[in-house]
Amino acid sequence: MKIIDSFLNGRSGSVTINDGERNIICEFAVDENALYNREFRRLGSKTLLVSIIKDKQRFYALEMYNGTLLSDKLYSGVDFFDTKENLAPVCQENHKWGFINMNGEEIIPCQYECPRKWYENFFPYYFSNGRIVLRKEDDTPSIEIRDNKGIIIVPFGRYNTDSSKFEHGLLDVRRCNIIPFQCGFINTEGKEVIPLIHRDVSNFFMLNGFPRAIVATADSSTARSKWFLIDQHGRNLAGPFQCFYPPEDNRIKAITFSGQITFCQ
């Protein structure tokens, strides 16, 4: 779903949302003395998202069309349902995120950090390839990967990454607590398909219609990095180079060790 337009007049207004088929106007009115601040937001055939005023603070819950709450749990933040996965990210007061289904059940518990700010709250995670990358920020930052049923594919403590989702079925990762970094790629089943033997890697991007990535290996004789362009099978397509520049116009600029500029397509 996407927000198309919004209107606010004093303590009432509306939000226009497109669910992929048509626009839905969600009207709301703020009343701090009322239990419900109804937004009439259609989430499923029988489900509404409603906001509840409690101690002059706004919380969110799921409600059936007959007015019955699906769960007694209240959330301080919520984003739209993923129409493909039928899950919605929700946030508790401690800014920990998880996912609920349209029955109000927490499929993924609210215990995860969030990667970036979103307005006054936090921007939630999102699925790709039926998987979600979840973060834990403590003395040993690492990631956990779950599927859309909440099953853990990769547990905490094994990998970390700067990416937020799988690209072309692959996720760039590095081993935890190992310096220099040991980087590579795993697939959606958590299998290391491109070995974690690189000093650094990019995520996959499209170049002339094909998924490509850039990886760096250490040169033991010079302590410098050698950069290569690879495909999704880990095969070297070009290199080694001193460095690469971001892709532009379906080609990527590289600098050779002799200082010459070359282009890879």
Side-chain angles (χ1 to χ4, degrees):
M1 292 186 179
K2 295 182 179 180
I3 296 178
I4 305 300
D5 194 13
S6 62
F7 171 76
L8 179 65
N9 181 15
R11 302 184 68 78
S12 64
S14 65
V15 177
T16 303
I17 300 169
N18 185 278
D19 66 352
E21 298 178 357
R22 61 187 182 282
N23 288 348
I24 303 169
I25 297 178
C26 308
E27 298 178 346
F28 62 87
V30 178
D31 182 358
E32 294 182 352
N33 297 317
L35 177 63
Y36 293 100
N37 166 20
R38 295 177 179 273
E39 296 187 0
F40 298 109
R41 189 180 299 173
R42 175 187 172 279
L43 298 178
S45 60
K46 299 180 180 179
T47 309
L48 291 170
L49 173 69
V50 298
S51 55
I52 296 174
I53 303 301
K54 180 182 178 183
D55 299 327
K56 296 187 177 181
Q57 296 185 49
R58 186 192 302 268
F59 294 89
Y60 295 88
L62 292 181
E63 181 190 75
M64 300 289 285
Y65 275 115
N66 62 9
T68 303
L69 291 181
L70 287 170
S71 170
D72 58 358
K73 290 187 177 181
L74 301 179
Y75 300 99
S76 60
V78 65
D79 200 19
F80 295 116
F81 269 85
D82 185 317
T83 55
K84 184 177 180 179
E85 310 294 346
N86 285 325
L87 296 173
V90 291
C91 179
Q92 292 183 336
E93 287 185 89
N94 59 3
H95 302 304
K96 301 290 187 180
W97 282 88
F99 279 79
I100 59 174
N101 62 18
M102 289 188 180
N103 295 321
E105 301 166 326
E106 279 191 16
I107 301 301
I108 297 177
C110 294
Q111 62 186 33
Y112 298 99
E113 309 288 345
C114 294
R116 50 183 169 159
K117 288 289 185 73
W118 179 59
Y119 295 105
E120 296 179 357
N121 218 310
F122 290 96
F123 189 89
Y125 301 91
Y126 49 93
F127 281 85
S128 64
N129 298 106
R131 301 291 186 264
I132 192 160
V133 180
L134 302 158
R135 298 184 185 278
K136 178 182 179 183
E137 301 296 341
D138 56 15
D139 294 337
T140 308
S142 62
I143 60 167
E144 179 181 272
I145 299 173
R146 294 195 184 218
D147 66 12
N148 53 13
K149 295 180 175 60
I151 297 173
I152 296 175
I153 305 299
V154 175
F156 279 125
R158 187 179 300 174
Y159 304 119
N160 201 1
T161 182
D162 295 322
S163 298
S164 58
K165 64 176 182 176
F166 283 81
E167 297 286 357
H168 309 287
L170 297 173
L171 179 71
D172 57 291
V173 297
R174 59 182 178 270
R175 297 195 197 280
C176 292
N177 291 330
I178 295 181
I179 296 177
F181 291 151
Q182 294 181 357
C183 306
F185 294 85
I186 61 173
N187 63 14
T188 56
E189 301 305 317
K191 181 180 178 181
E192 296 178 9
V193 293
I194 297 179
L196 277 66
I197 58 174
H198 304 285
R199 176 178 287 183
D200 196 6
V201 298
S202 73
N203 57 4
F204 272 87
F205 54 88
M206 295 300 291
L207 190 67
N208 285 313
F210 297 96
R212 299 288 186 256
I214 299 168
V215 302
T217 59
D219 186 337
S220 58
S221 61
T222 63
R224 293 191 300 180
S225 293
K226 293 181 177 181
W227 293 87
F228 298 85
L229 183 70
I230 66 169
D231 63 13
Q232 70 270 38
H233 303 292
R235 295 178 295 217
N236 290 342
L237 302 177
F241 298 108
Q242 287 192 54
C243 64
F244 279 98
Y245 289 85
E248 186 177 354
D249 297 328
N250 276 324
R251 63 180 188 171
I252 188 168
K253 184 168 73 172
I255 307 296
T256 68
F257 281 94
S258 62
Q260 295 180 323
I261 297 175
T262 186
F263 292 91
C264 305
Q265 292 182 321

